[in-house]
Amino acid sequence: MTLMKAYLRGLWEGKFILGYTLLLSLTLFIAAPFLMIALRSVGKGWFGRLWLPPQLTLDWYRWAVEVGNIPEVMKNTLIIGAIAVIVSTVIGIFAGWAFGRRQMPGKEVLMAIILLPRMIPPITYALGVAKIFYTLELVDTYLGVAMAHVSVCAPYAILVLSATFEGLDERVLEAAGVCGANTIKRFIYVVLPLILPGILASMIFSFTHSYNEFTLTLLTYGPNTVTLPIRTYLAVGDGYWEITSAMAVIMVVPSLLILAMIQRRAKPEKLVGGFKGV
Amino acid sequence: MGAGNDPPPPFAAAVQRDGMTAFWRTHQSTLVTVFLLLPALAGFFGLFFYPMLLTVILSFRPEGHEVGWTLENYTRFLADPDGRWVILLTFILALGSTALSVLLSVPLSLILREKVRGHQFYRLMILVPLVIPGLIGALGLLLFWGSRGWFNLFLLQFMPFVQRPVAVNYTIHGLTMFYVWLYFPYTCVTTMSALESLDRSIEEAGAVSGANRWQVLRYIVLPLITPGILAGSVLTFMAAFGAFSVPLIAGGNYRPLAVEIYKQISIPIPARWSAASAIAMIMGLLQVAFLTLYMRFVRRGGGTGGPR
């Protein structure tokens, strides 16, 4: 509504007409696919040249839950995501502390090497990961799929956390020491509150990555570890657009919630570094 | 650890422990650093380096064999006109969508810089394609631009000269547009942050000196934000070059490298791992080579400011 009002006001004032036209078409460009998915997921008998579905129904969601086995799939996705988040955050905390707070020769080079997976298309190392996991029989286990996700999540966790730890001011710690806090107290009351936002950010990044990850999952999943993106992909292959749309809605809502949650805290530039399983 | 090199004297255990303690004292800092880096290094070698190594080795093996060396996997793909077309197609899609993203991002960030009404909403809007899975985006785009989607409905009902639905899905321009939808935020966000960190007084100085708005934009603003734009476009290019899920479901007959790799191990029985590995190596090398060239170009003088 505000949008329409702003547009009309812009027209009225004769300024920014071009600008608002561009913004409005951008909004349409980005939002229209979601609208189509949402409408398709509740529409019934929507054929031919109709702008809106003639009947509304929730049948497709029922089908998605019953036939697509969404609760089971959701459980898989969450378990795999949790393992991937824990592993990559632990890796990130250790390596981030080393990169952010400790002196070492060749730090830049080492960091560049460890962050190398971001430079290479995931499918290239996904092949090798899949091959190794087949021999180790890690394919189609929660641990295996989660470890495959770690290869994508961990570089981002390291990146975010080393920036966080680097920003930690030594003088604050010294001040706490002077005021009589011992190491444990200093850690709990001073260090932890300062680094917690960074750790949370890294966890959210990692989880979103794991949640969206498609390439590596496709090469390591099995019947017991179908995740949401894979389930949606399989449904696309089956050709039932309505059910696929229902699954897509179920899948996209948490992503948008996370975006709404973090958009006030995190700067968009940081988001660009993260996200996307391609 | 390393102190055990001397020939073991009597009371070896005690001396060794002393040696260990001394070693620990002198190298404590290094050891802690190494210990902290250990999980990351393990992850790197286990989940990236060793898989890549395996892919390299596999790409030189004859198909389905564990021994022997051959270049056949590479030569077969590169000699095949289809193979070369796949490489060309990947570049067309990636470069096309990168260029379009830049064309879209610059005006957009110029507008949003003016803090127009609801600019926060638009900023959030731009981030949406980043956080949703590419698969879902592709699905929605297919629905919207399809022959029964709203785009064609609009054309058929309001454009008198359009008689039949316009084909967008499964065409090369459609695919490029889908890529733009998914990957332009990388460029846009970096461009916006470059614009916001720009000092307004420079522009005012230009305006005072008698430059009109267009000249200020052309000769002052654009050169200054070029490094930001280029840095963002690298991200878009990388994402578009490695795109997999989108062309997989929305590509139709257009299969870029990533999809071609997957086809090699998913369609033929038995799976052709060596061929897939060879294509993967070609893809990785092309991306690294292109990025190196691009970075060099950016450093050389893609803008007066240069990247920090």
Side-chain angles (χ1 to χ4, degrees), chain B residues 7 10 33 70 83-84 112 117 120 135 184 193-194 197 234 250 254-256 280-281:
Chain B
T33 309
T70 176
R84 277 183 304 218
L112 284 181
R117 276 180 71 94
Q120 272 163 338
L135 205 68
F184 92 94
S193 70
S197 60
V234 167
Y254 295 100
R255 291 201 292 264
M281 286 318 298

Side-chain angles (χ1 to χ4, degrees), chain B residues 50-294:
Chain B
Y50 183 52
M52 280 306 270
L53 197 69
L54 205 65
T55 312
V56 174
I57 293 172
L58 211 57
S59 71
F60 288 112
R61 297 272 193 227
E63 193 64 67
H65 290 77
E66 295 292 314
V67 287
W69 302 94
T70 176
L71 275 173
E72 196 202 347
N73 298 309
Y74 289 92
T75 49
R76 195 177 341 113
F77 183 72
L78 290 173
D80 187 4
D82 288 347
R84 277 183 304 218
W85 162 240
V86 166
I87 294 176
L88 185 66
L89 175 76
T90 313
F91 269 103
I92 292 175
L93 288 173
L95 286 175
S97 53
T98 308
L100 285 176
S101 305
V102 171
L103 285 183
L104 179 67
S105 302
V106 173
L108 201 62
S109 22
L110 281 173
I111 295 170
L112 284 181
R113 180 195 188 203
E114 301 298 335
K115 303 266 181 282
V116 293
R117 276 180 71 94
H119 67 103
Q120 272 163 338
F121 171 78
Y122 296 115
R123 270 158 215 262
L124 197 59
M125 200 73 175
I126 288 166
L127 292 181
V128 166
L130 276 183
V131 293
I132 64 141
L135 205 68
I136 308 295
L139 181 69
L141 287 161
L142 281 175
L143 287 174
F144 179 73
W145 298 92
S147 57
R148 290 192 301 153
W150 278 2
F151 173 69
N152 271 311
L153 272 182
F154 176 79
L155 286 186
L156 290 171
Q157 295 201 347
F158 297 107
M159 300 283 164
F161 52 86
V162 180
Q163 296 301 326
R164 7 185 35 227
V166 178
V168 176
N169 293 346
Y170 310 119
T171 63
I172 198 162
H173 50 272
L175 198 55
T176 314
M177 195 187 55
F178 290 8
Y179 275 35
V180 172
W181 190 91
L182 278 153
Y183 304 127
F184 92 94
Y186 293 102
T187 311
C188 199
V189 169
T190 3
T191 312
M192 279 200 303
S193 70
L195 256 180
E196 253 140 49
S197 60
L198 199 63
D199 193 351
R200 287 251 173 175
S201 54
I202 302 175
E203 289 163 66
E204 280 161 24
V208 168
S209 311
N212 61 29
R213 288 184 70 175
W214 163 250
Q215 281 169 328
V216 168
L217 183 67
R218 168 70 187 80
Y219 294 104
I220 297 175
V221 176
L222 281 185
L224 282 175
I225 61 168
T226 307
I229 300 176
L230 288 176
S233 66
V234 167
L235 297 173
T236 300
F237 176 84
M238 268 163 45
F241 194 83
F244 175 60
S245 57
V246 181
L248 188 64
I249 72 163
N253 289 326
Y254 295 100
R255 291 201 292 264
L257 279 166
V259 182
E260 192 65 32
I261 293 168
Y262 181 64
K263 294 276 173 199
Q264 296 291 344
I265 57 165
S266 64
I267 290 180
I269 297 172
R272 300 171 52 186
W273 283 92
S274 294
S277 302
I279 306 175
M281 286 318 298
I282 293 171
M283 183 177 182
L285 287 177
L286 279 176
Q287 166 145 346
V288 169
F290 188 85
L291 281 181
T292 315
L293 278 178
Y294 199 93

Side-chain angles (χ1 to χ4, degrees), chain A residues 171-222:
Chain A
R171 285 170 300 181
V172 178
L173 304 186
E174 278 167 23
V178 169
C179 295
N182 59 24
T183 320
I184 296 169
K185 268 190 176 169
R186 214 159 57 171
F187 183 76
I188 293 176
Y189 292 109
V190 182
V191 178
L192 211 54
L194 282 174
I195 62 174
L196 212 53
I199 292 178
L200 271 180
S202 126
M203 287 173 89
I204 291 174
F205 275 21
S206 305
F207 182 76
T208 319
H209 249 300
S210 164
Y211 186 80
N212 289 349
E213 181 56 50
F214 179 70
T215 315
L216 283 152
T217 323
L218 187 63
L219 289 176
T220 51
Y221 87 100

